[in-house]
Amino acid sequence: MRNKLIAGNWKMHGSLVGNPALLQSVAAGAATLATVSLAVLVPFPYLAQTRSHLEGSSCAWGAQDVSDQPGGAFTGEVSAAMLQDFGCRYAVVGHSERRARHGEQDGLVAAKALAAVEGGLTPIVCVGETLEEREAGNTLPVVFRQLDAVLDTLGVRRMARTVLAYEPVWAIGTGRSATPAQAQEVHAALRQRVSAADWVVGSGLQILYGGSVKPANALELMGLPDIDGALVGGASLAADDFLDIGRAAARA
Ligand code: PGA
């Protein structure tokens, strides 16, 4: 039985003054959700503040990226060890916004996932196709290519220390989520691919869905057999919405 995880990707939102109210509400809500795990993935500068509000709560926290390098002359980068210093459990790698805006390729995403695992973090590895790729019938080849890079670099045993997130690019921030059938199809295919390498790892792997998840569609998505939670962008910035998604996951 896989537990559900609802992870809030704040993206480049938040402020030192505004964050405490959101963090305190999320921490209080997490205490009422026994069967679902919550996490927030905040901008680097807010990690210390996030830790101070969430430490001792049942809500975990993490970052939205991590360097593939352990340390050194890498201007602007943040290592897994630094994230560990701030109590992070998770680091997102391969989010489509980084793939698109920063040209991150599969090889770099895989190297980041490896650095995270070796640094004691759980990478949340994002895969997903663009609308063009979907319409050309290439959804599975694209997500398999993205998954295989990570699988090859980590080896299937270390995949057990990751979380996978399927985020169709056309569903992110658009208000247009994948249909339950579309999401379930890709989740099942991703799980099957990992299971083919190691059945135990595949069947235990948490696979989150991301892309316009909100309270109104969460119950249906979270009730699907291969969906083990959500990576929530916009709706994670309002505590009520974020916690409603958590409650939907608990009911599903
Ligand atoms: P969204 O973002 O929920 O705002 O669509 C999801 C994500 O990018 O992780």
Side-chain angles (χ1 to χ4, degrees), residues 67-79 82:
S67 178
D68 63 319
Q69 299 295 324
F74 302 101
T75 302
E77 298 197 31
V78 174
S79 71
M82 292 171 183

Side-chain angles (χ1 to χ4, degrees), residues 9 11 95-97 167 171-175 210-213 231-235:
N9 174 10
K11 307 194 179 187
H95 191 281
S96 63
E97 286 152 14
E167 296 206 307
I172 294 176
T174 59
S212 298
V213 176
L231 185 53
V232 184

